[in-house]
Amino acid sequence: MNESKDFLRTIVEEDLASGKFQEVHTRFPPEPNGFPHIGHAKSIVINFGIARDYHGRCNLRMDDTNPITEDTRYVEALKDAVHWLGFEWDDGIRHTSDYFPRLYDYAVQLIKMGKAYVDSLNEEEIREYRGTVTEPGRRSKYAQRSVEENLDLFERMKNGEFKEGEHVLRAKIDMGAANMQLRDPLLYRIRHVHHHRTGDTWSIYPMYDFAHCLSDYIEGITHSFCTLEFENNRAIYDWVLDTLELEPPRPYQYEFARLAITYTVMSKRKLLELVNEGKVNGWDDPRMPTIAGYRRRGYTKESILNFCDQIGIAKANSTVDVAQLEFAIRDDLNTKVPRVMCVLDPLKVTIENYEGSEEIDASYYPHDVPKEASRKLPFSKEIYIERDDFDENPPKGYFRLTPEQPVRLKHAYIITCKEVVKDADGNVVEIKAEYHPDSKSGQDTSGIKVKSAIHWVDAKGAKKAEVRLYDRLFKEEAPKGMEDLNPDSLKVIEHALVEPAVITERPDERFQFERQGYFYADPVDYSDEHPVFNKIVALKDSWSKKRKAPEKAPKPQPKKVQIDGEVAPMNEAEQARFDKYTDELKLGTEVANTLARDEKLSHFYEEALSVLQSPVSLANIVANEVARELKEKEIDALKFTPKQIAGLVKMVEEGTISSKIAKQVFEEMTVSGKDPEKIVEEKGLVQISDPAQILPIIEEVMAKNPDNVAKFKAGNTKLLGFFVGQVLKSTGGKANPKVVNELVAKKLK
């Protein structure tokens, strides 16, 4: 259960403590008139999550009261979304149409009580009679009909004797109510439409306000969570239940803020328009904000769940920056996916002094990811690099290959440009280079200093792939419609080149293409003969550069490294720090740049280094977590000290806590300023490394997943990650990942 209670959970706890309800029973009641989107994901997480947290139940109910727009494929999409997010509904799927006979009987009961009547005004007259926010409405003359006449007309409406719009059933409440929802709301309307479940049985269909509260009551729902646009409808919800004097217990409605995201539309009407007008390639187009679209793009369920958890549950509407959702997927994939190399715009490089070929052993993961796996990179005299990784006339601050500047090939050697080959139009078509045999990564004794490492693929070993570069579907922060579509939301590269292991070994379905972004093997179009990869998200938010400069200059922030020629050249002091960090402390280029360019950040790092001689680990946390805090605060306002950061890193290195727990401890340090040792002690976060404690958890996970155990033993070794993840989840991230990996692998043999 979440440690910090939102207002909905507070309500639930109070109701349980007071004895108002013995069990929590929620529901997720979507209309099956479109594919569920990210807003539905939030509702799913709230309804199913609260039921789970309080050991209750949650129903999945299709609100199928408008047969004009409904379709069984939408029902399947909704079921699939709930399952994919990891939830189970209680005792089969419900449909509002299951209750049509009972709803009709309740309507008859209201008529008999004199609380409902058949109105014969047309739609325009009903609107006119309703009044305004400053003027009361007028009741229809048809409200004077007798109970007998209303019962007769209502039954004939049900039997299909009237045209659509000829009559409606309305509640008789108060035409002068300040809440206009109470001005004799419609309860039923005539629809001569085939229903996908009830066929042609019914010619009348209940309105949402009538059907929803009664469906909740019939199902025994205790807490009916709705978005804020239904706040005024709560009065009708209560009126129907109270007027019918139904036997308790009865449900209660509570409202929360709906999800709105920048650069995104979530109106079903607009999403349907995008699909029907061919602006996108269906509901599962990776640019769509549908759950199916996010899945096909490569988002993980964990990233969606984490995003919903991070934005919380609010009482007031607001708009979430889409960058927060993009951060959630980056954060999730960063510690999961293998790093590989893919060249999108190939430029041939011939290494003239290299003969033969070799295989270079390269890890799939950086040192700070607790996974161990590697692949063989073929290397020969002909390779391809990214076209923009060479510049004949480089701007200042350009760190990649130039006629005068050598560069390192990632995992391989340093190369130097010797000749630039051009075609008749002056376009560069080939680079002739030489390599330095004593500069191999991990064994470099060349003494050559380079400021960048670039990705590459071997000409013979590389595999061709189609790469789909997806970007935001809309170019405006608050899009209004089709006129705001981003014309560059999809770019297809048909002849990208990837290293062979991506295709031949398939270590995963998601990858970080070095320096390009995160990518996913398209689940529909991919085949080993024609590999297709979708771009999930870039490695950093590039859209922030496109926004207009604010009127007031923002507070200076530490600059992140950008090895793409966009940063200013270093001054003398910065260069000296950079040289020290790369040469003496062996820091990576990106981290060294981040620290070297910010004097205060560099000072913080060196203070921490004076406490703990662990330059790489300290540099990573300072250049990322500490730098992130400095975006919002001055360094003097930080709650934590360099000494405390050193203490946190020491605990990770000694195995006291895991890297995942360290992030949790750091977040607490930013708020409380407590020593990390104290936080770990108070919260009981010490890492579990004792096999005797971990093995029973592994056995329990395996017992719960016999099908996956069988699949693993049948050859699906990718499931190792599934079991490791389940064990880590069961321990709240406390288990030592390395120990878990080893024990799970042994257990599954």
Side-chain angles (χ1 to χ4, degrees):
M1 192 185 302
N2 291 353
E3 289 186 12
S4 58
K5 305 287 190 308
D6 55 75
F7 77 97
L8 294 181
R9 283 177 168 82
T10 299
I11 290 169
V12 167
E13 289 191 6
E14 290 173 353
D15 287 348
L16 291 173
S18 68
K20 184 176 182 178
F21 299 111
Q22 299 303 308
E23 180 187 48
V24 175
H25 200 162
T26 61
R27 83 291 167 269
F28 173 55
E31 295 178 72
N33 59 1
F35 274 53
H37 52 60
I38 188 70
H40 291 103
K42 178 180 177 181
S43 183
I44 290 169
V45 169
I46 289 173
N47 283 287
F48 284 93
I50 288 178
R52 175 202 61 203
D53 288 352
Y54 295 95
H55 310 291
R57 293 179 288 160
C58 183
N59 293 355
L60 173 59
R61 181 201 311 147
M62 300 298 162
D63 183 23
D64 54 348
T65 57
N66 187 1
I68 295 174
T69 60
E70 292 158 6
D71 195 303
T72 53
R73 67 190 178 115
Y74 299 143
V75 173
E76 293 305 312
L78 285 158
K79 289 162 55 179
D80 191 46
V82 174
H83 266 145
W84 181 69
L85 287 170
F87 297 107
E88 287 291 335
W89 48 84
D90 181 61
D91 192 27
I93 296 173
R94 272 91 168 171
H95 300 80
T96 302
S97 57
D98 295 336
Y99 316 130
F100 280 177
R102 289 186 67 176
L103 297 178
Y104 179 81
D105 290 343
Y106 283 130
V108 168
Q109 187 176 336
L110 286 176
I111 293 172
K112 289 179 178 179
M113 296 170 71
K115 297 295 185 180
Y117 62 94
V118 174
D119 193 4
S120 304
L121 295 178
N122 62 39
E123 188 175 342
E124 186 176 333
E125 289 171 325
I126 290 174
R127 192 180 302 114
E128 179 188 342
Y129 276 44
R130 195 164 180 240
T132 67
V133 291
T134 57
E135 296 179 2
R138 291 178 290 151
R139 180 159 280 157
S140 167
K141 64 181 180 180
Y142 299 108
Q144 303 304 317
R145 282 171 168 155
S146 67
V147 168
E148 290 72 23
E149 185 180 1
N150 282 320
L151 288 172
D152 176 64
L153 286 170
F154 189 50
E155 184 176 5
R156 290 168 65 193
M157 287 168 61
K158 175 177 74 76
N159 294 337
E161 295 184 24
F162 303 112
K163 298 176 182 177
E164 290 191 12
E166 195 170 347
H167 302 292
V168 294
L169 183 71
R170 299 180 72 173
K172 186 183 285 187
I173 306 180
D174 181 3
M175 290 303 293
N179 180 353
M180 293 181 67
Q181 301 284 358
L182 291 176
R183 295 182 184 180
D184 290 10
L186 273 62
L187 303 182
Y188 271 88
R189 77 288 206 210
I190 299 170
R191 286 282 188 272
H192 296 299
V193 181
H194 183 84
H195 190 283
H196 70 280
R197 294 190 74 249
T198 62
D200 299 316
T201 303
W202 295 88
S203 294
I204 54 172
Y205 291 93
M207 304 297 289
Y208 169 86
D209 284 326
F210 184 67
H212 186 69
C213 58
L214 289 169
S215 298
D216 284 350
Y217 174 75
I218 291 167
E219 292 179 6
I221 301 305
T222 57
H223 299 78
S224 183
F225 300 129
C226 300
T227 46
L228 272 177
E229 68 262 36
F230 294 100
E231 185 174 20
N232 288 337
N233 301 63
R234 188 189 342 133
I236 307 176
Y237 190 100
D238 291 338
W239 182 88
V240 171
L241 296 177
D242 293 342
T243 302
L244 286 168
E245 299 178 340
L246 299 170
E247 183 180 341
R250 54 151 284 189
Y252 292 85
Q253 177 177 307
Y254 303 94
E255 304 84 25
F256 61 91
R258 71 183 303 169
L259 179 60
I261 304 179
T262 57
Y263 298 98
T264 308
V265 299
M266 283 188 281
S267 156
K268 283 186 180 178
R269 178 182 59 79
K270 291 180 180 178
L271 294 178
L272 185 61
E273 186 180 351
L274 286 167
V275 173
N276 288 344
E277 292 189 8
K279 304 295 185 183
V280 294
N281 299 315
W283 286 98
D284 68 342
D285 187 300
R287 294 165 293 180
M288 288 281 275
T290 56
I291 296 174
Y294 286 119
R295 287 181 66 181
R296 185 164 180 184
R297 186 156 175 171
Y299 274 67
T300 60
K301 72 175 183 181
E302 291 82 6
S303 66
I304 301 292
L305 295 173
N306 289 340
F307 170 70
C308 292
D309 187 50
Q310 289 162 10
I311 61 176
I313 304 174
K315 293 184 179 181
N317 284 325
S318 61
T319 300
V320 176
D321 192 336
V322 71
Q324 193 167 346
L325 175 59
E326 293 165 348
F327 171 81
I329 184 62
R330 285 192 199 97
D331 190 54
D332 185 51
L333 295 181
N334 181 49
T335 56
K336 287 182 175 179
V337 303
R339 274 66 163 168
V340 296
M341 295 192 286
C342 173
V343 175
L344 301 181
D345 187 10
L347 174 62
K348 185 178 180 181
V349 176
T350 301
I351 306 171
E352 295 186 309
N353 64 331
Y354 187 94
E355 297 297 333
S357 63
E358 64 180 291
E359 288 188 326
I360 296 172
D361 191 57
S363 173
Y364 278 122
Y365 304 99
H367 70 278
D368 57 344
V369 173
K371 288 187 175 184
E372 295 181 9
S374 62
R375 79 284 196 190
K376 299 292 185 182
L377 290 171
F379 184 83
S380 62
K381 71 183 302 173
E382 291 185 353
I383 63 170
Y384 286 100
I385 65 171
E386 207 68 60
R387 187 167 296 278
D388 63 8
D389 279 343
F390 173 80
D391 200 316
E392 198 171 9
N393 301 294
K396 288 183 178 180
Y398 185 86
F399 296 147
R400 291 162 283 173
L401 185 64
T402 74
E404 287 76 36
Q405 182 171 269
V407 73
R408 176 174 293 284
L409 300 174
K410 180 82 173 180
H411 300 299
Y413 301 94
I414 293 172
I415 61 170
T416 301
C417 174
K418 305 306 291 181
E419 182 183 347
V420 180
V421 181
K422 300 180 181 180
D423 62 16
D425 297 322
N427 301 309
V428 177
V429 294
E430 183 183 358
I431 302 297
K432 293 188 176 179
E434 68 175 17
Y435 88 116
H436 301 272
D438 53 356
S439 66
K440 192 172 184 179
S441 289
Q443 307 168 25
D444 188 355
T445 59
S446 68
I448 301 171
K449 292 184 180 180
V450 293
K451 295 181 180 179
S452 180
I454 63 175
H455 60 278
W456 55 277
V457 292
D458 181 65
K460 291 181 181 177
K463 304 291 184 181
K464 287 185 180 179
E466 178 181 318
V467 175
R468 298 168 182 173
L469 302 178
Y470 290 103
D471 206 337
R472 296 174 185 174
L473 185 56
F474 291 92
K475 61 186 177 183
E476 297 299 326
E477 190 168 314
K480 295 182 176 61
M482 301 304 113
E483 67 274 15
D484 294 326
L485 282 169
N486 174 15
D488 301 317
S489 62
L490 172 60
K491 179 182 179 183
V492 178
I493 298 175
E494 296 183 348
H495 302 293
L497 297 173
V498 295
E499 60 173 271
V502 175
I503 312 300
T504 58
E505 295 181 16
R506 288 292 296 277
D508 204 333
E509 293 173 332
R510 295 175 180 85
F511 301 90
Q512 183 190 114
F513 288 173
E514 299 260 14
R515 301 170 64 230
Q516 306 280 18
Y518 292 99
F519 290 79
Y520 180 52
D522 186 275
V524 177
D525 296 334
Y526 181 97
S527 69
D528 286 349
E529 294 72 33
H530 181 68
V532 178
F533 294 95
N534 299 330
K535 184 175 182 179
I536 307 170
V537 69
L539 294 177
K540 58 185 177 182
D541 179 13
S542 60
W543 274 77
S544 59
K545 300 174 189 175
K546 302 176 186 178
R547 297 174 185 164
K548 294 179 181 178
E551 293 180 9
K552 186 177 179 181
K555 181 179 69 178
Q557 298 176 359
K559 294 179 181 178
K560 292 285 184 182
V561 62
Q562 299 176 29
I563 311 178
D564 54 10
E566 294 182 16
V567 293
M570 293 181 180
N571 60 35
E572 190 173 332
E574 291 170 345
Q575 187 65 56
R577 287 196 291 266
F578 178 84
D579 291 342
K580 173 186 175 183
Y581 295 159
T582 53
D583 296 346
E584 295 178 25
L585 302 181
K586 306 300 182 186
L587 302 188
T589 305
E590 295 188 23
V591 171
N593 264 278
T594 300
L595 297 175
R597 289 177 179 277
D598 189 284
E599 187 174 357
K600 290 183 178 179
L601 200 63
S602 174
H603 181 69
F604 188 102
Y605 169 61
E606 294 192 12
E607 275 198 48
L609 197 59
S610 69
V611 178
L612 177 70
Q613 279 299 309
S614 184
V616 174
S617 297
L618 282 172
N620 284 331
I621 192 170
V622 173
N624 291 287
E625 277 71 21
V626 176
R628 187 178 70 239
E629 284 296 302
L630 285 173
K631 289 183 179 180
E632 303 295 333
K633 305 170 186 173
E634 296 292 344
I635 199 160
D636 294 338
L638 295 178
K639 293 277 190 180
F640 51 83
T641 65
K643 182 179 179 182
Q644 289 174 315
I645 292 297
L648 179 62
V649 170
K650 185 178 180 183
M651 294 177 80
V652 175
E653 293 191 339
E654 290 178 346
T656 306
I657 58 175
S658 66
S659 298
K660 183 175 181 179
I661 293 297
K663 290 186 177 182
Q664 184 180 335
V665 175
F666 177 79
E667 293 303 322
E668 174 66 24
M669 290 167 64
T670 65
V671 177
S672 68
K674 291 182 180 179
D675 287 341
E677 296 84 358
K678 185 73 173 174
I679 296 170
V680 169
E681 181 184 348
E682 288 177 351
K683 293 185 176 290
L685 299 174
V686 174
Q687 181 167 254
I688 304 169
S689 296
D690 184 358
Q693 291 179 268
I694 297 174
L695 276 170
I697 300 170
I698 294 174
E699 290 167 354
E700 183 180 349
V701 168
M702 291 174 66
K704 288 180 179 178
N705 297 276
D707 290 347
N708 282 345
V709 171
K711 288 176 184 176
F712 181 90
K713 292 185 176 181
N716 189 352
T717 55
K718 289 184 190 176
L719 286 169
L720 177 66
F722 164 80
F723 287 106
V724 170
Q726 290 297 306
V727 173
L728 293 176
K729 184 178 179 181
S730 297
T731 63
K734 294 179 187 177
N736 186 322
K738 187 173 181 180
V739 175
V740 172
N741 265 287
E742 292 171 356
L743 293 176
V744 169
K746 287 180 182 177
K747 264 292 185 186
L748 287 170
K749 280 185 179 178

